[in-house]
Short mmCIF file of all heavy atoms in Angstrom, two decimals:
data_model
loop_
_atom_site.label_atom_id
_atom_site.label_comp_id
_atom_site.label_asym_id
_atom_site.label_seq_id
_atom_site.Cartn_x
_atom_site.Cartn_y
_atom_site.Cartn_z
N LEU Z 167 0.84 -1.18 -0.02
CA LEU Z 167 0.00 0.00 0.00
C LEU Z 167 0.90 1.24 0.00
O LEU Z 167 1.75 1.38 0.84
CB LEU Z 167 -0.92 -0.04 1.24
CG LEU Z 167 -2.03 0.95 1.32
CD1 LEU Z 167 -3.03 0.73 0.18
CD2 LEU Z 167 -2.76 0.80 2.61
N ALA Z 168 0.70 2.08 -0.97
CA ALA Z 168 1.51 3.29 -1.08
C ALA Z 168 1.03 4.40 -0.13
O ALA Z 168 1.79 5.26 0.23
CB ALA Z 168 1.54 3.78 -2.50
N GLY Z 169 -0.23 4.38 0.22
CA GLY Z 169 -0.74 5.38 1.13
C GLY Z 169 -2.27 5.40 1.12
O GLY Z 169 -2.90 4.77 0.31
N TRP Z 170 -2.84 6.17 2.07
CA TRP Z 170 -4.29 6.28 2.17
C TRP Z 170 -4.62 7.64 2.74
O TRP Z 170 -3.77 8.28 3.35
CB TRP Z 170 -4.89 5.16 3.00
CG TRP Z 170 -4.36 5.10 4.41
CD1 TRP Z 170 -3.33 4.33 4.86
CD2 TRP Z 170 -4.77 5.85 5.53
NE1 TRP Z 170 -3.09 4.55 6.18
CE2 TRP Z 170 -4.00 5.49 6.64
CE3 TRP Z 170 -5.80 6.81 5.73
CZ2 TRP Z 170 -4.17 6.04 7.91
CZ3 TRP Z 170 -5.94 7.39 7.01
CH2 TRP Z 170 -5.15 6.99 8.06
N SER Z 171 -5.86 8.07 2.54
CA SER Z 171 -6.33 9.33 3.17
C SER Z 171 -7.81 9.20 3.47
O SER Z 171 -8.56 8.51 2.82
CB SER Z 171 -6.09 10.50 2.23
OG SER Z 171 -6.88 10.36 1.05
N LEU Z 172 -8.21 9.90 4.54
CA LEU Z 172 -9.57 10.01 4.94
C LEU Z 172 -9.83 11.51 5.04
O LEU Z 172 -9.14 12.19 5.83
CB LEU Z 172 -9.78 9.36 6.30
CG LEU Z 172 -11.19 9.39 6.86
CD1 LEU Z 172 -12.04 8.36 6.14
CD2 LEU Z 172 -11.21 9.14 8.34
N VAL Z 173 -10.76 12.00 4.21
CA VAL Z 173 -10.98 13.45 4.13
C VAL Z 173 -12.45 13.71 4.39
O VAL Z 173 -13.32 13.02 3.87
CB VAL Z 173 -10.58 13.99 2.74
CG1 VAL Z 173 -10.70 15.50 2.70
CG2 VAL Z 173 -9.18 13.56 2.39
N ILE Z 174 -12.71 14.73 5.23
CA ILE Z 174 -14.08 15.13 5.57
C ILE Z 174 -14.33 16.49 4.99
O ILE Z 174 -13.55 17.44 5.20
CB ILE Z 174 -14.25 15.14 7.10
CG1 ILE Z 174 -13.95 13.74 7.65
CG2 ILE Z 174 -15.69 15.55 7.44
CD1 ILE Z 174 -13.86 13.69 9.17
N TYR Z 175 -15.46 16.59 4.25
CA TYR Z 175 -15.86 17.86 3.61
C TYR Z 175 -17.24 18.26 4.13
O TYR Z 175 -18.11 17.41 4.39
CB TYR Z 175 -16.00 17.68 2.11
CG TYR Z 175 -14.72 17.35 1.41
CD1 TYR Z 175 -14.40 16.04 1.08
CD2 TYR Z 175 -13.84 18.35 0.99
CE1 TYR Z 175 -13.22 15.70 0.43
CE2 TYR Z 175 -12.65 18.03 0.34
CZ TYR Z 175 -12.37 16.73 0.05
OH TYR Z 175 -11.23 16.41 -0.60
N ALA Z 176 -17.42 19.58 4.27
CA ALA Z 176 -18.78 20.10 4.55
C ALA Z 176 -19.65 19.89 3.34
O ALA Z 176 -19.17 19.68 2.22
CB ALA Z 176 -18.68 21.58 4.94
N GLU Z 177 -20.95 19.99 3.52
CA GLU Z 177 -21.88 19.75 2.39
C GLU Z 177 -21.58 20.64 1.20
O GLU Z 177 -21.69 20.23 0.05
CB GLU Z 177 -23.30 19.94 2.86
CG GLU Z 177 -24.33 19.53 1.86
CD GLU Z 177 -25.74 19.46 2.41
OE1 GLU Z 177 -25.99 20.07 3.47
OE2 GLU Z 177 -26.56 18.80 1.80
N GLN Z 178 -21.17 21.88 1.46
CA GLN Z 178 -20.90 22.82 0.36
C GLN Z 178 -19.53 22.61 -0.27
O GLN Z 178 -19.16 23.30 -1.23
CB GLN Z 178 -21.09 24.28 0.79
CG GLN Z 178 -20.05 24.80 1.75
CD GLN Z 178 -20.35 24.47 3.21
OE1 GLN Z 178 -21.16 23.62 3.52
NE2 GLN Z 178 -19.68 25.16 4.10
N GLY Z 179 -18.69 21.65 0.27
CA GLY Z 179 -17.45 21.31 -0.35
C GLY Z 179 -16.18 21.75 0.35
O GLY Z 179 -15.09 21.35 -0.04
N SER Z 180 -16.33 22.57 1.39
CA SER Z 180 -15.08 23.04 2.08
C SER Z 180 -14.47 21.91 2.90
O SER Z 180 -15.17 21.10 3.48
CB SER Z 180 -15.40 24.24 2.94
OG SER Z 180 -16.36 23.90 3.93
N LEU Z 181 -13.13 21.92 2.93
CA LEU Z 181 -12.38 20.92 3.66
C LEU Z 181 -12.58 21.12 5.17
O LEU Z 181 -12.39 22.21 5.67
CB LEU Z 181 -10.89 21.00 3.31
CG LEU Z 181 -9.95 20.10 4.08
CD1 LEU Z 181 -10.23 18.63 3.76
CD2 LEU Z 181 -8.52 20.45 3.79
N ILE Z 182 -12.89 20.05 5.87
CA ILE Z 182 -13.03 20.06 7.32
C ILE Z 182 -11.82 19.47 8.00
O ILE Z 182 -11.24 20.03 8.90
CB ILE Z 182 -14.34 19.35 7.76
CG1 ILE Z 182 -15.56 20.02 7.18
CG2 ILE Z 182 -14.39 19.29 9.29
CD1 ILE Z 182 -15.78 21.47 7.62
N LYS Z 183 -11.46 18.28 7.55
CA LYS Z 183 -10.35 17.55 8.21
C LYS Z 183 -9.76 16.51 7.25
O LYS Z 183 -10.49 15.93 6.47
CB LYS Z 183 -10.86 16.85 9.46
CG LYS Z 183 -9.82 16.30 10.34
CD LYS Z 183 -10.39 15.84 11.67
CE LYS Z 183 -9.30 15.60 12.68
NZ LYS Z 183 -9.82 15.45 14.04
N ARG Z 184 -8.46 16.31 7.37
CA ARG Z 184 -7.75 15.31 6.56
C ARG Z 184 -6.87 14.48 7.46
O ARG Z 184 -6.12 15.02 8.28
CB ARG Z 184 -6.90 15.97 5.48
CG ARG Z 184 -6.09 14.98 4.67
CD ARG Z 184 -5.14 15.70 3.71
NE ARG Z 184 -5.82 16.61 2.82
CZ ARG Z 184 -6.34 16.26 1.62
NH1 ARG Z 184 -6.20 15.06 1.19
NH2 ARG Z 184 -6.95 17.19 0.91
N ILE Z 185 -6.96 13.16 7.32
CA ILE Z 185 -6.09 12.23 8.02
C ILE Z 185 -5.47 11.39 6.90
O ILE Z 185 -6.18 10.86 6.05
CB ILE Z 185 -6.89 11.31 8.98
CG1 ILE Z 185 -7.67 12.15 9.95
CG2 ILE Z 185 -5.96 10.35 9.69
CD1 ILE Z 185 -8.70 11.36 10.75
N SER Z 186 -4.13 11.23 6.93
CA SER Z 186 -3.52 10.44 5.85
C SER Z 186 -2.25 9.76 6.32
O SER Z 186 -1.72 10.08 7.38
CB SER Z 186 -3.21 11.35 4.66
OG SER Z 186 -2.31 12.35 5.02
N SER Z 187 -1.81 8.84 5.50
CA SER Z 187 -0.58 8.10 5.81
C SER Z 187 0.13 7.84 4.50
O SER Z 187 -0.49 7.54 3.50
CB SER Z 187 -0.94 6.77 6.49
OG SER Z 187 0.25 5.99 6.69
N SER Z 188 1.46 7.88 4.55
CA SER Z 188 2.25 7.53 3.37
C SER Z 188 2.44 6.01 3.40
O SER Z 188 1.76 5.29 4.08
CB SER Z 188 3.55 8.28 3.39
OG SER Z 188 4.27 7.99 4.58
N SER Z 189 3.40 5.56 2.66
CA SER Z 189 3.62 4.11 2.49
C SER Z 189 3.57 3.34 3.78
O SER Z 189 4.19 3.71 4.78
CB SER Z 189 4.98 3.90 1.83
OG SER Z 189 5.22 2.54 1.64
N THR Z 190 2.75 2.27 3.75
CA THR Z 190 2.63 1.42 4.95
C THR Z 190 3.28 0.07 4.76
O THR Z 190 3.35 -0.70 5.71
CB THR Z 190 1.12 1.22 5.30
OG1 THR Z 190 0.53 0.51 4.22
CG2 THR Z 190 0.44 2.51 5.55
N HIS Z 191 3.68 -0.26 3.55
CA HIS Z 191 4.31 -1.56 3.23
C HIS Z 191 3.41 -2.72 3.70
O HIS Z 191 3.87 -3.75 4.18
CB HIS Z 191 5.71 -1.69 3.88
CG HIS Z 191 6.62 -0.59 3.45
ND1 HIS Z 191 7.11 -0.48 2.17
CD2 HIS Z 191 7.13 0.45 4.12
CE1 HIS Z 191 7.89 0.56 2.08
NE2 HIS Z 191 7.91 1.16 3.27
N GLN Z 192 2.11 -2.53 3.50
CA GLN Z 192 1.14 -3.55 3.84
C GLN Z 192 0.30 -3.88 2.63
O GLN Z 192 0.10 -2.99 1.78
CB GLN Z 192 0.18 -3.08 4.97
CG GLN Z 192 0.85 -2.84 6.29
CD GLN Z 192 -0.18 -2.24 7.28
OE1 GLN Z 192 -0.10 -1.06 7.57
NE2 GLN Z 192 -1.12 -3.04 7.72
N GLU Z 193 -0.21 -5.08 2.54
CA GLU Z 193 -1.14 -5.38 1.45
C GLU Z 193 -2.56 -4.93 1.78
O GLU Z 193 -3.34 -4.65 0.91
CB GLU Z 193 -1.11 -6.91 1.15
CG GLU Z 193 0.20 -7.35 0.56
CD GLU Z 193 0.17 -8.84 0.23
OE1 GLU Z 193 -0.91 -9.38 0.02
OE2 GLU Z 193 1.24 -9.43 0.20
N MET Z 194 -2.87 -4.91 3.06
CA MET Z 194 -4.22 -4.53 3.50
C MET Z 194 -4.06 -3.60 4.73
O MET Z 194 -3.05 -3.65 5.41
CB MET Z 194 -5.04 -5.76 3.94
CG MET Z 194 -5.36 -6.67 2.78
SD MET Z 194 -6.22 -8.19 3.34
CE MET Z 194 -7.43 -7.58 4.48
N ILE Z 195 -5.10 -2.83 4.98
CA ILE Z 195 -5.11 -2.04 6.21
C ILE Z 195 -6.35 -2.40 7.03
O ILE Z 195 -7.39 -2.70 6.47
CB ILE Z 195 -5.06 -0.52 5.94
CG1 ILE Z 195 -6.23 -0.09 5.05
CG2 ILE Z 195 -3.75 -0.11 5.34
CD1 ILE Z 195 -6.33 1.40 4.89
N ASP Z 196 -6.18 -2.36 8.29
CA ASP Z 196 -7.30 -2.56 9.24
C ASP Z 196 -7.36 -1.26 10.04
O ASP Z 196 -6.52 -1.05 10.92
CB ASP Z 196 -7.05 -3.77 10.11
CG ASP Z 196 -8.20 -4.07 11.03
OD1 ASP Z 196 -9.26 -3.48 10.85
OD2 ASP Z 196 -8.00 -4.91 11.93
N PHE Z 197 -8.29 -0.41 9.70
CA PHE Z 197 -8.29 0.95 10.24
C PHE Z 197 -9.68 1.33 10.68
O PHE Z 197 -10.67 1.04 9.98
CB PHE Z 197 -7.81 1.90 9.13
CG PHE Z 197 -7.89 3.35 9.46
CD1 PHE Z 197 -6.96 3.93 10.27
CD2 PHE Z 197 -8.87 4.12 8.93
CE1 PHE Z 197 -7.04 5.28 10.60
CE2 PHE Z 197 -8.97 5.46 9.23
CZ PHE Z 197 -8.05 6.06 10.08
N GLN Z 198 -9.78 1.93 11.82
CA GLN Z 198 -11.04 2.47 12.31
C GLN Z 198 -10.82 3.93 12.70
O GLN Z 198 -9.77 4.23 13.31
CB GLN Z 198 -11.57 1.72 13.54
CG GLN Z 198 -12.01 0.31 13.23
CD GLN Z 198 -12.62 -0.32 14.47
OE1 GLN Z 198 -12.73 0.25 15.52
NE2 GLN Z 198 -12.99 -1.61 14.34
N ALA Z 199 -11.77 4.75 12.38
CA ALA Z 199 -11.67 6.17 12.76
C ALA Z 199 -13.00 6.57 13.40
O ALA Z 199 -14.07 6.19 12.94
CB ALA Z 199 -11.40 7.03 11.52
N HIS Z 200 -12.88 7.32 14.45
CA HIS Z 200 -14.05 7.85 15.15
C HIS Z 200 -13.97 9.35 15.11
O HIS Z 200 -13.08 9.97 15.72
CB HIS Z 200 -14.11 7.37 16.59
CG HIS Z 200 -14.19 5.88 16.70
ND1 HIS Z 200 -15.37 5.19 16.61
CD2 HIS Z 200 -13.24 4.94 16.84
CE1 HIS Z 200 -15.12 3.90 16.70
NE2 HIS Z 200 -13.84 3.70 16.85
N TRP Z 201 -14.83 9.96 14.27
CA TRP Z 201 -14.82 11.41 14.13
C TRP Z 201 -15.74 12.01 15.16
O TRP Z 201 -16.93 11.64 15.23
CB TRP Z 201 -15.24 11.78 12.72
CG TRP Z 201 -15.25 13.25 12.44
CD1 TRP Z 201 -14.27 14.15 12.77
CD2 TRP Z 201 -16.27 14.02 11.84
NE1 TRP Z 201 -14.60 15.42 12.42
CE2 TRP Z 201 -15.85 15.36 11.81
CE3 TRP Z 201 -17.51 13.71 11.32
CZ2 TRP Z 201 -16.63 16.37 11.26
CZ3 TRP Z 201 -18.27 14.69 10.77
CH2 TRP Z 201 -17.83 16.03 10.73
N GLN Z 202 -15.25 12.89 15.97
CA GLN Z 202 -16.02 13.48 17.03
C GLN Z 202 -16.66 14.83 16.63
O GLN Z 202 -17.12 15.57 17.49
CB GLN Z 202 -15.14 13.71 18.26
CG GLN Z 202 -14.52 12.40 18.78
CD GLN Z 202 -15.57 11.43 19.25
OE1 GLN Z 202 -16.56 11.77 19.83
NE2 GLN Z 202 -15.34 10.13 18.95
N GLY Z 203 -16.66 15.14 15.34
CA GLY Z 203 -17.30 16.35 14.86
C GLY Z 203 -16.41 17.56 14.95
O GLY Z 203 -16.88 18.70 15.01
N ASN Z 204 -15.09 17.34 14.97
CA ASN Z 204 -14.17 18.47 15.06
C ASN Z 204 -13.44 18.65 13.73
O ASN Z 204 -13.28 17.73 12.95
CB ASN Z 204 -13.18 18.25 16.19
CG ASN Z 204 -12.45 16.94 16.12
OD1 ASN Z 204 -12.87 16.01 15.44
ND2 ASN Z 204 -11.32 16.87 16.80
N ASP Z 205 -12.99 19.88 13.52
CA ASP Z 205 -12.26 20.20 12.27
C ASP Z 205 -10.76 20.00 12.47
O ASP Z 205 -10.31 19.52 13.51
CB ASP Z 205 -12.62 21.58 11.76
CG ASP Z 205 -12.19 22.71 12.71
OD1 ASP Z 205 -11.40 22.45 13.65
OD2 ASP Z 205 -12.67 23.83 12.52
N GLN Z 206 -10.01 20.46 11.48
CA GLN Z 206 -8.53 20.31 11.55
C GLN Z 206 -7.91 21.12 12.67
O GLN Z 206 -6.73 20.90 12.98
CB GLN Z 206 -7.91 20.60 10.20
CG GLN Z 206 -8.20 21.98 9.71
CD GLN Z 206 -7.82 22.17 8.25
OE1 GLN Z 206 -7.22 21.26 7.64
NE2 GLN Z 206 -8.14 23.29 7.67
N TYR Z 207 -8.66 22.09 13.24
CA TYR Z 207 -8.14 22.91 14.34
C TYR Z 207 -8.74 22.46 15.68
O TYR Z 207 -8.62 23.17 16.66
CB TYR Z 207 -8.45 24.36 14.09
CG TYR Z 207 -7.92 24.81 12.76
CD1 TYR Z 207 -8.79 25.08 11.69
CD2 TYR Z 207 -6.53 24.97 12.54
CE1 TYR Z 207 -8.30 25.50 10.45
CE2 TYR Z 207 -6.06 25.36 11.32
CZ TYR Z 207 -6.93 25.62 10.28
OH TYR Z 207 -6.43 26.00 9.03
N ASN Z 208 -9.41 21.28 15.66
CA ASN Z 208 -10.01 20.65 16.82
C ASN Z 208 -11.21 21.48 17.34
O ASN Z 208 -11.56 21.35 18.51
CB ASN Z 208 -9.00 20.40 17.93
CG ASN Z 208 -9.38 19.22 18.76
OD1 ASN Z 208 -10.08 18.31 18.32
ND2 ASN Z 208 -9.02 19.24 20.04
N GLN Z 209 -11.82 22.28 16.48
CA GLN Z 209 -13.02 23.02 16.84
C GLN Z 209 -14.25 22.22 16.40
O GLN Z 209 -14.22 21.60 15.32
CB GLN Z 209 -13.03 24.41 16.14
CG GLN Z 209 -11.82 25.25 16.51
CD GLN Z 209 -11.82 25.62 17.99
OE1 GLN Z 209 -12.82 26.06 18.53
NE2 GLN Z 209 -10.70 25.37 18.63
N LEU Z 210 -15.31 22.23 17.19
CA LEU Z 210 -16.53 21.52 16.75
C LEU Z 210 -17.16 22.20 15.56
O LEU Z 210 -17.18 23.42 15.47
CB LEU Z 210 -17.53 21.47 17.92
CG LEU Z 210 -17.16 20.58 19.08
CD1 LEU Z 210 -18.23 20.70 20.18
CD2 LEU Z 210 -17.06 19.14 18.63
N VAL Z 211 -17.60 21.39 14.62
CA VAL Z 211 -18.25 21.93 13.41
C VAL Z 211 -19.73 22.09 13.64
O VAL Z 211 -20.29 21.58 14.62
CB VAL Z 211 -17.98 21.00 12.18
CG1 VAL Z 211 -16.50 20.92 11.89
CG2 VAL Z 211 -18.56 19.62 12.42
N ASP Z 212 -20.41 22.77 12.77
CA ASP Z 212 -21.83 23.02 12.86
C ASP Z 212 -22.64 21.76 12.59
O ASP Z 212 -22.19 20.87 11.88
CB ASP Z 212 -22.27 24.10 11.87
CG ASP Z 212 -21.67 25.46 12.22
OD1 ASP Z 212 -21.41 25.72 13.43
OD2 ASP Z 212 -21.49 26.28 11.31
N ILE Z 213 -23.86 21.74 13.07
CA ILE Z 213 -24.82 20.70 12.72
C ILE Z 213 -25.00 20.73 11.19
O ILE Z 213 -25.07 21.80 10.61
CB ILE Z 213 -26.16 20.93 13.44
CG1 ILE Z 213 -25.97 20.70 14.93
CG2 ILE Z 213 -27.25 20.07 12.90
CD1 ILE Z 213 -27.15 21.10 15.76
N GLY Z 214 -25.10 19.57 10.57
CA GLY Z 214 -25.30 19.52 9.12
C GLY Z 214 -24.78 18.22 8.55
O GLY Z 214 -24.49 17.26 9.25
N ARG Z 215 -24.75 18.19 7.18
CA ARG Z 215 -24.31 17.01 6.47
C ARG Z 215 -22.83 17.16 6.08
O ARG Z 215 -22.41 18.23 5.68
CB ARG Z 215 -25.16 16.80 5.22
CG ARG Z 215 -26.57 16.42 5.52
CD ARG Z 215 -27.29 16.10 4.26
NE ARG Z 215 -26.42 15.17 3.50
CZ ARG Z 215 -26.76 14.55 2.42
NH1 ARG Z 215 -27.95 14.71 1.93
NH2 ARG Z 215 -25.94 13.74 1.77
N TYR Z 216 -22.12 16.02 6.15
CA TYR Z 216 -20.71 16.00 5.82
C TYR Z 216 -20.38 14.78 4.96
O TYR Z 216 -20.94 13.71 5.17
CB TYR Z 216 -19.86 15.97 7.10
CG TYR Z 216 -20.02 17.25 7.89
CD1 TYR Z 216 -21.05 17.39 8.76
CD2 TYR Z 216 -19.15 18.32 7.65
CE1 TYR Z 216 -21.23 18.61 9.46
CE2 TYR Z 216 -19.30 19.51 8.34
CZ TYR Z 216 -20.36 19.66 9.23
OH TYR Z 216 -20.53 20.82 9.87
N ARG Z 217 -19.49 15.00 3.98
CA ARG Z 217 -19.07 13.90 3.10
C ARG Z 217 -17.71 13.39 3.57
O ARG Z 217 -16.78 14.18 3.78
CB ARG Z 217 -18.96 14.39 1.67
CG ARG Z 217 -18.58 13.32 0.68
CD ARG Z 217 -18.65 13.81 -0.75
NE ARG Z 217 -17.71 14.86 -1.03
CZ ARG Z 217 -16.68 14.77 -1.87
NH1 ARG Z 217 -16.44 13.64 -2.48
NH2 ARG Z 217 -15.91 15.77 -2.07
N ILE Z 218 -17.63 12.10 3.76
CA ILE Z 218 -16.36 11.46 4.16
C ILE Z 218 -15.87 10.63 2.99
O ILE Z 218 -16.57 9.76 2.49
CB ILE Z 218 -16.56 10.60 5.41
CG1 ILE Z 218 -17.07 11.48 6.57
CG2 ILE Z 218 -15.27 9.92 5.81
CD1 ILE Z 218 -17.40 10.73 7.81
N LEU Z 219 -14.65 10.92 2.55
CA LEU Z 219 -14.07 10.23 1.43
C LEU Z 219 -12.81 9.49 1.88
O LEU Z 219 -11.89 10.09 2.46
CB LEU Z 219 -13.71 11.26 0.35
CG LEU Z 219 -13.04 10.76 -0.91
CD1 LEU Z 219 -13.98 9.82 -1.69
CD2 LEU Z 219 -12.60 11.89 -1.79
N PHE Z 220 -12.75 8.19 1.60
CA PHE Z 220 -11.56 7.38 1.92
C PHE Z 220 -10.93 6.99 0.61
O PHE Z 220 -11.63 6.53 -0.29
CB PHE Z 220 -11.93 6.14 2.72
CG PHE Z 220 -10.75 5.29 3.02
CD1 PHE Z 220 -9.93 5.60 4.09
CD2 PHE Z 220 -10.47 4.16 2.24
CE1 PHE Z 220 -8.80 4.81 4.37
CE2 PHE Z 220 -9.35 3.38 2.53
CZ PHE Z 220 -8.51 3.70 3.58
N ALA Z 221 -9.63 7.14 0.48
CA ALA Z 221 -8.89 6.74 -0.72
C ALA Z 221 -7.65 5.97 -0.33
O ALA Z 221 -6.96 6.32 0.63
CB ALA Z 221 -8.54 7.97 -1.51
N ALA Z 222 -7.37 4.88 -1.05
CA ALA Z 222 -6.17 4.12 -0.87
C ALA Z 222 -5.48 3.94 -2.19
O ALA Z 222 -6.14 3.73 -3.22
CB ALA Z 222 -6.50 2.73 -0.26
N THR Z 223 -4.15 4.02 -2.19
CA THR Z 223 -3.34 3.91 -3.42
C THR Z 223 -2.33 2.82 -3.23
O THR Z 223 -1.61 2.75 -2.22
CB THR Z 223 -2.64 5.21 -3.76
OG1 THR Z 223 -3.59 6.28 -3.78
CG2 THR Z 223 -1.89 5.13 -5.05
N ASP Z 224 -2.24 1.90 -4.22
CA ASP Z 224 -1.24 0.81 -4.12
C ASP Z 224 0.05 1.25 -4.72
O ASP Z 224 0.18 2.38 -5.24
CB ASP Z 224 -1.77 -0.48 -4.77
CG ASP Z 224 -1.98 -0.41 -6.27
OD1 ASP Z 224 -1.43 0.51 -6.95
OD2 ASP Z 224 -2.62 -1.31 -6.82
N SER Z 225 1.06 0.41 -4.63
CA SER Z 225 2.39 0.78 -5.09
C SER Z 225 2.49 0.99 -6.60
O SER Z 225 3.43 1.62 -7.10
CB SER Z 225 3.44 -0.26 -4.65
OG SER Z 225 3.06 -1.54 -5.16
N ALA Z 226 1.50 0.49 -7.38
CA ALA Z 226 1.47 0.69 -8.83
C ALA Z 226 0.75 1.97 -9.20
O ALA Z 226 0.68 2.34 -10.38
CB ALA Z 226 0.82 -0.47 -9.51
N GLY Z 227 0.20 2.70 -8.19
CA GLY Z 227 -0.49 3.96 -8.47
C GLY Z 227 -1.99 3.83 -8.66
O GLY Z 227 -2.67 4.76 -8.92
N ASN Z 228 -2.53 2.61 -8.54
CA ASN Z 228 -3.96 2.39 -8.65
C ASN Z 228 -4.64 2.90 -7.38
O ASN Z 228 -4.18 2.66 -6.27
CB ASN Z 228 -4.28 0.91 -8.82
CG ASN Z 228 -3.62 0.31 -10.06
OD1 ASN Z 228 -3.79 0.85 -11.16
ND2 ASN Z 228 -2.85 -0.73 -9.85
N GLN Z 229 -5.76 3.62 -7.59
CA GLN Z 229 -6.43 4.19 -6.45
C GLN Z 229 -7.87 3.65 -6.33
O GLN Z 229 -8.56 3.52 -7.34
CB GLN Z 229 -6.48 5.70 -6.51
CG GLN Z 229 -7.01 6.36 -5.24
CD GLN Z 229 -6.95 7.85 -5.32
OE1 GLN Z 229 -7.61 8.52 -6.15
NE2 GLN Z 229 -6.15 8.43 -4.44
N SER Z 230 -8.31 3.42 -5.11
CA SER Z 230 -9.66 3.02 -4.86
C SER Z 230 -10.23 3.99 -3.86
O SER Z 230 -9.55 4.41 -2.90
CB SER Z 230 -9.72 1.59 -4.28
OG SER Z 230 -11.03 1.21 -4.02
N THR Z 231 -11.51 4.37 -4.05
CA THR Z 231 -12.14 5.35 -3.13
C THR Z 231 -13.48 4.84 -2.68
O THR Z 231 -14.13 4.01 -3.35
CB THR Z 231 -12.34 6.70 -3.83
OG1 THR Z 231 -13.21 6.52 -4.94
CG2 THR Z 231 -11.04 7.30 -4.27
N SER Z 232 -13.89 5.34 -1.55
CA SER Z 232 -15.19 5.05 -1.00
C SER Z 232 -15.70 6.34 -0.33
O SER Z 232 -14.93 7.10 0.25
CB SER Z 232 -15.09 3.96 0.06
OG SER Z 232 -16.34 3.62 0.60
N GLU Z 233 -17.00 6.56 -0.47
CA GLU Z 233 -17.61 7.80 -0.01
C GLU Z 233 -18.86 7.51 0.79
O GLU Z 233 -19.61 6.63 0.47
CB GLU Z 233 -17.92 8.69 -1.20
CG GLU Z 233 -18.66 9.94 -0.91
CD GLU Z 233 -18.98 10.72 -2.17
OE1 GLU Z 233 -18.08 10.87 -3.00
OE2 GLU Z 233 -20.13 11.11 -2.30
N VAL Z 234 -19.06 8.28 1.88
CA VAL Z 234 -20.29 8.13 2.66
C VAL Z 234 -20.66 9.53 3.18
O VAL Z 234 -19.78 10.41 3.41
CB VAL Z 234 -20.12 7.17 3.85
CG1 VAL Z 234 -19.08 7.65 4.85
CG2 VAL Z 234 -21.42 6.89 4.54
N TRP Z 235 -21.97 9.79 3.29
CA TRP Z 235 -22.46 11.04 3.87
C TRP Z 235 -22.96 10.78 5.29
O TRP Z 235 -23.56 9.72 5.54
CB TRP Z 235 -23.61 11.59 3.02
CG TRP Z 235 -23.16 12.22 1.74
CD1 TRP Z 235 -22.93 11.59 0.56
CD2 TRP Z 235 -22.91 13.58 1.53
NE1 TRP Z 235 -22.53 12.48 -0.38
CE2 TRP Z 235 -22.51 13.73 0.19
CE3 TRP Z 235 -22.93 14.72 2.32
CZ2 TRP Z 235 -22.17 14.94 -0.38
CZ3 TRP Z 235 -22.60 15.92 1.77
CH2 TRP Z 235 -22.23 16.04 0.45
N VAL Z 236 -22.63 11.68 6.18
CA VAL Z 236 -23.12 11.58 7.56
C VAL Z 236 -23.78 12.89 7.96
O VAL Z 236 -23.51 13.94 7.37
CB VAL Z 236 -21.98 11.25 8.57
CG1 VAL Z 236 -21.35 9.90 8.25
CG2 VAL Z 236 -20.94 12.34 8.57
N SER Z 237 -24.65 12.81 8.93
CA SER Z 237 -25.34 14.01 9.45
C SER Z 237 -25.02 14.16 10.91
O SER Z 237 -25.10 13.21 11.69
CB SER Z 237 -26.85 13.89 9.27
OG SER Z 237 -27.22 13.88 7.91
N LEU Z 238 -24.66 15.40 11.29
CA LEU Z 238 -24.49 15.73 12.68
C LEU Z 238 -25.75 16.46 13.14
O LEU Z 238 -26.16 17.43 12.49
CB LEU Z 238 -23.25 16.61 12.88
CG LEU Z 238 -21.91 16.00 12.54
CD1 LEU Z 238 -20.81 17.01 12.80
CD2 LEU Z 238 -21.66 14.73 13.31
N GLU Z 239 -26.29 16.02 14.20
CA GLU Z 239 -27.54 16.65 14.70
C GLU Z 239 -27.37 17.15 16.10
O GLU Z 239 -26.58 16.71 16.83
CB GLU Z 239 -28.69 15.62 14.62
CG GLU Z 239 -28.91 15.15 13.22
CD GLU Z 239 -29.99 14.09 13.13
OE1 GLU Z 239 -30.42 13.56 14.19
OE2 GLU Z 239 -30.39 13.81 12.03
#
């Protein structure tokens, strides 16, 4: 695995938070993340919808992505 990223965007598209890793020298990753509703400055974000995008890239440069929407109430 060449690297991965987990990026959280506000509904209108602005970047909220990014978590990433460079080369892990693993074939698979076992990763869990618990987002507490804070941004990259550790400030709580507003109630609303957020898009979470996960991307992983292998050593050949192939990328796979997964996306989910969550709501904070």
Side-chain angles (χ1 to χ4, degrees):
L167 191 62
W170 59 266
S171 64
L172 181 77
V173 185
I174 302 169
Y175 297 97
E177 188 169 20
Q178 70 274 17
S180 60
L181 175 66
I182 299 296
K183 190 169 193 169
R184 175 187 304 271
I185 304 167
S186 61
S187 175
S188 58
S189 180
T190 63
H191 304 291
Q192 294 175 253
E193 291 183 26
M194 295 176 44
I195 57 173
D196 184 10
F197 174 77
Q198 291 184 4
H200 299 276
W201 181 47
Q202 302 298 321
N204 54 340
D205 64 14
Q206 58 192 354
Y207 305 108
N208 209 28
Q209 301 295 310
L210 288 177
V211 298
D212 294 332
I213 290 171
R215 291 187 48 171
Y216 294 86
R217 181 171 66 112
I218 300 176
L219 179 65
F220 179 80
T223 306
D224 67 16
S225 58
N228 301 306
Q229 187 175 65
S230 180
T231 61
S232 181
E233 175 182 313
V234 64
W235 285 85
V236 298
S237 294
L238 296 180
E239 300 177 348

